[in-house]
Amino acid sequence: MTIKSNNKRKLIKAKANRWGIQFLLVTVFVGLFVTHAFTQKKIIKRMGTTNTTLFDDGWLFARYGLQPDGTRKPEPSNLEKITLNDRVAPWKELDLPHDWGITGPFRIELEGSTGKLPWKGIGWYRKHFKIDVKDANKQIFVDFDGAMANAKIWLNGHYVGTWPYGYNSFRMDLTPFIKVGEDNLIAVRLDTENWDSRWYPGAGIYRHVWLVKTDPVHVGHWGTNITTPQVSDASAKVNMAVTVDNQGLEAVKASIQSAVYELDGQNRKGRRVTDFNNTSLDIPIGGSATAGTSAQINRPKRWDITSPNRYVVETSIIVNRKVVDTYLTPFGVRTIEFTATKGFLLNGRRVEIQGTCNHHDLGALGAAFNESALHRQLVILKQMGCNALRTSHNPPAPELLEMADQMGFLVWDEAFDSWKHGKRKLDYNKLFDQWHQKDLTAMVHRDRNHPSVIIWSIGNEVLEQEDVQLTKHLADIIRGEDPTRPVSNGYNNPDGGRASGAAQALDVMGVNYFFNKQSDWDKDPRYKNMPTLGSETSSCVSSRGEYFFGTDYKNWQITSYDHAHPGWGCTPDEQFRINAKYPNLLGEFVWTGFDYLGEPTPYNTDATNLLNFRNDPSKKAALARKLQELNAKTPPSRSSYFGIVDLAGFPKDRFYLYQSHWRPDLPMAHILPHWNWPNRIDSIVPVDVYTSGDQAELFLNGKSLGKKTKRPGIDFRLSWDSVVYEPGELKVVSYKNGKKWATDVVKTTSPATQLKISTDRHHIKTVGNDLAFITVKITDKDGLMVPDASNLVQFSVEGPGEIVATDNGDATSFASFQSPSKKAFNGMVLAIVKFKKGSQGKFKVIAKSGGLSSAMEVISAK
Ligand code: GAL
């Protein structure tokens, strides 16, 4: 029995979302009006020195050591030498960002915890480039946003430097070895064989690289530090410290002039708002000096998650009446307070942290950073009501913070997953002694001007979390660099951290999964006034579109009734109940917003799961036995089940559970499961409804199955546990304060007959790896998605476009992400497309599947 339910369901959801749309329209209109003044202004691509250009194109790459098939290719010596002919195999030309692990193939015998992908190996990158003779007197730097891992850099055969931690950004000064007007060769060696991870780390120069040219006297790397010590509605005092380096041949007197401009949502510089006091510095040869200056902004426009207003400071360094450097520093004016009794206050207003933890990979694109992919993720999280991001468990791509600033997210910026003691053999423990100070400092210097960053985290579940000295040492390094934000640490043994006194070195207690003990903790006078935040919560697991009866786990998948979680976790509902009990807590970061590559708990057969029990040996033993059993079966799982949204970016049911709680003013209702159960006629199919209403009535084929009411603080879903299945239409009508609020409908479908296609964007840029995300649904004749369809869909492109990757969100799929064909998983499949390099115009994306009518989308140049 089939009814036109998909369309109707869409209409109902559209209606339910109408306030959201109206809000959007108003915002767009106001945005257009406000930004009118900016339209002629140039877009700022990158903070820092204005003479900064992307250095991503035309690299040559060769892979040695471990190969994708597990064999080994010896690494020759002299790969950094100019004399080497890199125009022949095995050298291949490519553009960055690049992740050499994501092309696979998946191999069953590889660790599930790192995605069963062959990311271990030795990668060499070489790039030839020219520096114009007119730049003969310039300093030439290359800024790496991140290179995985153990990066070593040479220029023209000379060793320049190293930065082993793959998640940090770093600068290399090429000046001593640059040849102007001639070919220069930069060579980079990366080594992931000497790196271990509990999740898929990626491999390669996986973030952007930039070429920076400055005069010998210039603002230092991340050389500005802006704070706003006094903020009121009438005015904001803005302090800035500017560090200037002198790499010239004589001591100089430099004067520093800085002006503040408005900065719009597209990074366009607007009205000049005020000036900083002029100041000057005497800088010795080869030295640097720091000047402090301040300014006042009248009636400052606050940065807030609801109105992410920003400013940009343009700093000019003047030597002998000549401007030698211009440097841009975006920032925001906002106040943050972490209180034990009133929660977290942003600009004086209580904001509950509704956050998600996320790893850095972008699903089918692997770790290779891509702006459009990250932006799509953040838009999805915003729609859910997520207002905060935890960069688990490492510093993010710098663009994440820029987008967080622009879109209004709060950020928990995290440094490490290990300190001196690794969780795996080759964790950060290998680097800790020599590098922790440099890595922490780099993180704070790079990220300190972002208004979105509200907390620094020195770690996640580190093995030394009870170590008083070490905790204090790391927290003090951070405070020495930035005293304006609190320092935290994610504890999986908060009792130990509190009992030992280590937690006293922190400003905010970060607690992973132990929220229900707050009342005990409050009894300890040492921590009475310490705010607590759920740095990691829930860890609910599910597979999109899978529903099981009588069990939560089957076929390496997990039911989407949102009940399943590992021993250390809880359901989202349970966490909401705990949060409601302790309203003075700051909120939570759910593990995780998106599924990620690796850590397919509960189907990983390695030590990853065991690590979560290290404080409870009895549980550890039981889990070790389970893992042994699993080991014998070799699970095919290669990505996580934790995501609220699957790896392809398709929301699971849980998305609507969070939306119902996090966006109480958005009228919405969502029914689960789907309604195609031909083998369960006359058997029970439990039905759950997620709604932002407080009551709901369920109807099966027009018959009421009763009205249910949420108990405030206790119920976060409404359940009809004894619905006897009959095909047809299941409909819910929800109510709020006695008034009709939202509806949702699911219907039994007929067999699949056609493909339905849609895209997140019809217009994309032809440059810079801009992407469109194309969703194909397998539907019946009425356009209803067939919820268990697994048809193979073949994507092709007509015109100057290409398919970058495909995915379906199935954690057990070993099909290549680069393949243009993919089976649908529970009715859905994704293709990621872009313009071919150097092309224009438009292209067609065609989706075909045997026996079904095909579908097509047109993507045009922006
Ligand atoms: C936590 C850990 C995370 C992830 C999670 C899975 O204990 O911090 O990195 O492993 O468990 O539930």
Side-chain angles (χ1 to χ4, degrees):
M1 190 187 311
T2 311
I3 323 166
K4 284 184 245 147
S5 78
N6 245 15
N7 286 338
K8 200 162 169 200
R9 194 172 194 208
K10 254 193 172 164
L11 269 178
I12 289 161
K13 282 204 171 161
K15 207 170 162 195
N17 277 317
R18 70 186 186 278
W19 291 112
I21 288 163
Q22 275 179 17
F23 171 76
L24 254 180
L25 287 176
V26 170
T27 313
V28 168
F29 178 74
V30 172
L32 281 176
F33 180 73
V34 172
T35 54
H36 177 72
F38 295 108
T39 45
Q40 296 311 313
K41 306 283 185 214
K42 232 173 113 188
I43 292 180
I44 298 168
K45 291 256 169 55
R46 173 106 169 151
M47 73 165 267
T49 302
T50 45
N51 195 347
T52 300
T53 48
L54 210 52
F55 205 52
D56 281 349
D57 283 2
W59 288 75
L60 298 156
F61 172 71
R63 178 170 175 174
Y64 297 99
L66 277 171
Q67 298 297 297
D69 62 1
T71 58
R72 207 164 243 296
K73 185 168 171 187
E75 180 189 14
S77 46
N78 297 332
L79 294 178
E80 75 283 11
K81 292 272 155 53
I82 314 177
T83 44
L84 180 95
N85 182 3
D86 52 21
R87 298 288 159 187
V88 293
W91 296 93
K92 266 195 277 195
E93 187 167 335
L94 51 79
D95 297 339
L96 306 178
H98 173 236
D99 172 4
W100 78 63
I102 196 63
T103 40
F106 293 105
R107 297 204 335 254
I108 190 82
E109 76 280 13
L110 292 177
E111 283 188 338
S113 60
T114 53
K116 293 196 178 289
L117 283 164
W119 58 278
K120 287 224 172 200
I122 311 281
W124 274 87
Y125 293 83
R126 288 164 62 98
K127 179 178 162 85
H128 297 264
F129 64 102
K130 276 224 160 73
I131 297 289
D132 203 286
V133 275
K134 78 172 174 13
D135 290 329
N137 295 323
K138 291 261 187 316
Q139 299 297 126
I140 309 290
F141 304 98
V142 173
D143 286 357
F144 290 84
D145 286 349
M148 189 66 71
N150 297 304
K152 288 196 169 125
I153 288 101
W154 289 260
L155 185 75
N156 297 328
H158 303 276
Y159 181 66
V160 180
T162 179
W163 200 288
Y165 190 33
Y167 294 109
N168 243 335
S169 303
F170 59 93
R171 163 170 286 188
M172 289 286 146
D173 186 354
L174 305 186
T175 321
F177 310 116
I178 277 284
K179 297 182 286 188
V180 290
E182 290 176 48
D183 182 50
N184 286 279
L185 168 77
I186 183 169
V188 180
R189 180 187 190 270
L190 300 180
D191 172 3
T192 46
E193 290 183 14
N194 282 296
W195 184 247
D196 277 340
S197 181
R198 298 191 299 115
W199 58 89
Y200 177 72
I205 310 181
Y206 71 105
R207 291 182 185 157
H208 291 302
V209 178
W210 306 83
L211 184 72
V212 182
K213 297 179 195 166
T214 69
D215 272 48
V217 178
H218 58 94
V219 176
H221 190 212
W222 302 318
T224 52
N225 182 12
I226 295 178
T227 53
T228 51
Q230 286 152 28
V231 178
S232 71
D233 288 346
S235 74
K237 179 166 187 218
V238 187
N239 287 347
M240 179 167 66
V242 185
T243 300
V244 183
D245 293 348
N246 176 8
Q247 295 181 286
L249 298 174
E250 55 190 28
V252 293
K253 187 174 202 65
S255 84
I256 300 164
Q257 292 179 6
S258 298
V260 181
Y261 297 83
E262 287 183 346
L263 186 64
D264 79 355
Q266 269 74 49
N267 264 11
R268 284 174 299 207
K269 204 173 94 179
R271 187 173 69 87
R272 184 176 184 140
V273 176
T274 187
D275 289 342
F276 277 87
N277 302 322
N278 289 349
T279 171
S280 68
L281 281 173
D282 291 308
I283 321 166
I285 308 174
S288 57
T290 301
T293 171
S294 61
Q296 181 174 310
I297 301 179
N298 292 330
R299 290 184 307 283
K301 292 183 182 162
R302 305 278 183 111
W303 182 91
D304 201 296
I305 51 173
T306 49
S307 55
N309 296 304
R310 289 174 307 152
Y311 296 93
V312 61
V313 179
E314 187 173 284
T315 300
S316 305
I317 307 298
I318 299 149
V319 176
N320 295 332
R321 283 193 290 276
K322 192 179 148 227
V323 175
V324 294
D325 194 20
T326 310
Y327 193 95
L328 297 168
T329 315
F331 73 103
V333 176
R334 48 98 176 116
T335 61
I336 52 172
E337 276 173 88
F338 296 81
T339 73
T341 51
K342 289 180 287 172
F344 167 65
L345 307 180
L346 177 64
N347 295 317
R349 172 177 59 98
R350 179 165 191 219
V351 172
E352 169 136 2
I353 293 177
Q354 302 174 164
T356 57
C357 299
N358 287 292
H359 277 311
H360 69 310
D361 77 67
L362 296 165
L365 303 173
F369 179 76
N370 180 283
E371 279 86 344
S372 340
L374 180 67
H375 189 259
R376 172 179 180 243
Q377 287 197 341
L378 297 189
V379 167
I380 292 169
L381 291 176
K382 261 259 137 131
Q383 282 165 353
M384 185 170 72
C386 169
N387 64 15
L389 310 167
R390 176 185 182 208
T391 69
S392 12
H393 301 297
N394 44 259
E399 290 83 358
L400 182 139
L401 300 179
E402 274 165 38
M403 283 185 211
D405 287 351
Q406 284 174 23
M407 297 171 75
F409 283 98
L410 307 166
V411 176
W412 162 297
D413 201 348
E414 187 150 281
F416 307 123
D417 193 48
S418 302
W419 294 346
K420 263 174 185 298
H421 291 94
K423 296 175 183 171
R424 319 296 304 255
K425 211 164 114 211
L426 301 169
D427 262 341
Y428 194 76
N429 53 313
K430 293 282 166 206
L431 305 174
F432 187 87
D433 286 343
Q434 245 196 307
W435 282 90
H436 70 269
Q437 175 115 23
K438 285 181 242 175
D439 276 318
L440 283 177
T441 307
M443 175 179 87
V444 176
H445 284 194
R446 190 194 69 172
D447 298 348
R448 63 191 167 191
N449 296 319
H450 288 280
S452 57
V453 176
I454 56 160
I455 297 183
W456 303 114
S457 163
I458 52 176
N460 172 61
E461 300 189 353
V462 294
L463 302 187
E464 310 92 322
Q465 57 194 277
E466 292 164 34
D467 188 321
V468 179
Q469 292 307 323
L470 201 47
T471 307
K472 182 166 179 337
H473 168 68
L474 298 174
D476 284 348
I477 293 176
I478 300 255
R479 285 193 195 104
E481 301 299 334
D482 176 25
T484 70
R485 293 174 177 89
V487 180
S488 192
N489 189 12
Y491 272 88
N492 62 334
N493 184 2
D495 292 337
R498 288 173 200 259
S500 69
Q504 279 181 290
L506 305 173
D507 307 297
V508 170
M509 185 70 190
V511 173
N512 293 5
Y513 307 104
F514 285 84
F515 243 35
N516 50 357
K517 293 171 88 182
Q518 185 65 34
S519 57
D520 294 344
W521 298 330
D522 285 345
K523 289 179 197 138
D524 186 333
R526 289 177 297 173
Y527 302 104
K528 203 151 180 46
N529 292 317
M530 180 175 255
T532 305
L533 178 52
S535 34
E536 223 173 285
T537 61
S538 182
S539 268
C540 185
V541 277
S542 60
S543 309
R544 176 184 51 78
E546 296 285 329
Y547 305 95
F548 305 141
F549 308 98
T551 177
D552 285 342
Y553 305 95
K554 212 161 75 181
N555 303 331
W556 313 113
Q557 303 291 359
I558 305 170
T559 190
S560 256
Y561 275 105
D562 297 332
H563 288 132
H565 56 81
W568 57 90
C570 64
T571 58
D573 322 49
E574 179 59 18
Q575 187 63 40
F576 294 155
R577 276 192 278 279
I578 294 164
N579 297 354
K581 251 207 296 211
Y582 302 107
N584 296 332
L585 303 182
L586 311 184
E588 63 172 310
F589 286 96
V590 180
W591 190 266
T592 50
F594 281 76
D595 272 334
Y596 52 94
L597 293 164
E599 212 182 17
T601 304
Y603 303 126
N604 34 0
T605 60
D606 50 51
T608 316
N609 274 6
L610 275 179
L611 291 167
N612 295 298
F613 285 112
R614 62 188 154 263
N615 300 308
D616 188 342
S618 61
K619 286 187 183 158
K620 193 168 175 168
L623 191 69
R625 269 197 306 281
K626 235 196 214 164
L627 292 184
Q628 229 170 5
E629 271 167 42
L630 264 179
N631 222 343
K633 298 185 190 154
T634 332
S637 306
R638 46 67 168 161
S639 50
S640 81
Y641 300 80
F642 291 116
I644 299 170
V645 182
D646 77 13
L647 198 73
F650 302 142
K652 300 178 187 174
D653 292 301
R654 237 184 309 150
F655 174 94
Y656 299 99
L657 178 51
Y658 282 100
Q659 190 181 57
S660 69
H661 186 54
W662 283 352
R663 295 185 67 183
D665 298 331
L666 176 78
M668 56 76 61
H670 176 84
I671 297 178
L672 67 139
H674 60 72
W675 214 238
N676 276 29
W677 301 105
N679 298 328
R680 294 190 70 82
I681 290 175
D682 294 338
S683 299
I684 285 177
V685 175
V687 173
D688 280 357
V689 168
Y690 301 148
T691 176
S692 48
D694 45 33
Q695 254 188 342
E697 186 167 10
L698 189 68
F699 300 88
L700 176 56
N701 292 326
K703 276 192 314 279
S704 173
L705 300 182
K707 210 176 203 179
K708 307 234 173 208
T709 305
K710 287 184 189 168
R711 290 164 298 171
I714 298 173
D715 297 321
F716 297 92
R717 66 175 86 189
L718 292 169
S719 301
W720 284 259
D721 288 333
S722 47
V723 178
V724 177
Y725 179 74
E726 59 183 60
E729 177 191 272
L730 195 60
K731 176 178 174 178
V732 70
V733 179
S734 83
Y735 296 84
K736 192 159 187 152
N737 301 325
K739 288 207 184 93
K740 204 167 155 182
W741 180 246
T743 63
D744 193 21
V745 177
V746 286
K747 294 182 182 181
T748 310
T749 77
S750 53
T753 58
Q754 52 175 330
L755 301 181
K756 269 197 146 183
I757 197 164
S758 60
T759 175
D760 70 330
R761 291 186 305 154
H762 284 100
H763 302 272
I764 59 174
K765 285 183 260 167
T766 56
V767 291
N769 261 330
D770 204 10
L771 304 174
F773 289 80
I774 311 260
T775 301
V776 166
K777 290 186 179 170
I778 316 288
T779 75
D780 71 0
K781 61 180 180 1
D782 299 313
L784 292 175
M785 188 180 86
V786 179
D788 56 354
S790 58
N791 308 52
L792 182 72
V793 176
Q794 177 75 43
F795 289 97
S796 59
V797 164
E798 263 176 34
E802 62 183 286
I803 293 160
V804 179
T806 55
D807 190 12
N808 58 16
D810 177 0
T812 67
S813 169
F814 272 34
S816 158
F817 284 131
Q818 293 78 40
S819 167
S821 58
K822 190 127 300 171
K823 275 181 153 187
F825 178 60
N826 291 327
M828 295 172 88
V829 58
L830 173 83
I832 306 172
V833 298
K834 68 169 187 181
F835 272 93
K836 277 196 180 133
K837 202 173 170 182
S839 58
Q840 286 291 334
K842 54 182 167 197
F843 61 90
K844 273 188 201 164
V845 184
I846 301 150
K848 290 188 175 157
S849 185
L852 307 182
S853 56
S854 33
M856 190 263 290
E857 263 300 357
V858 176
I859 304 296
S860 312
K862 202 172 179 176

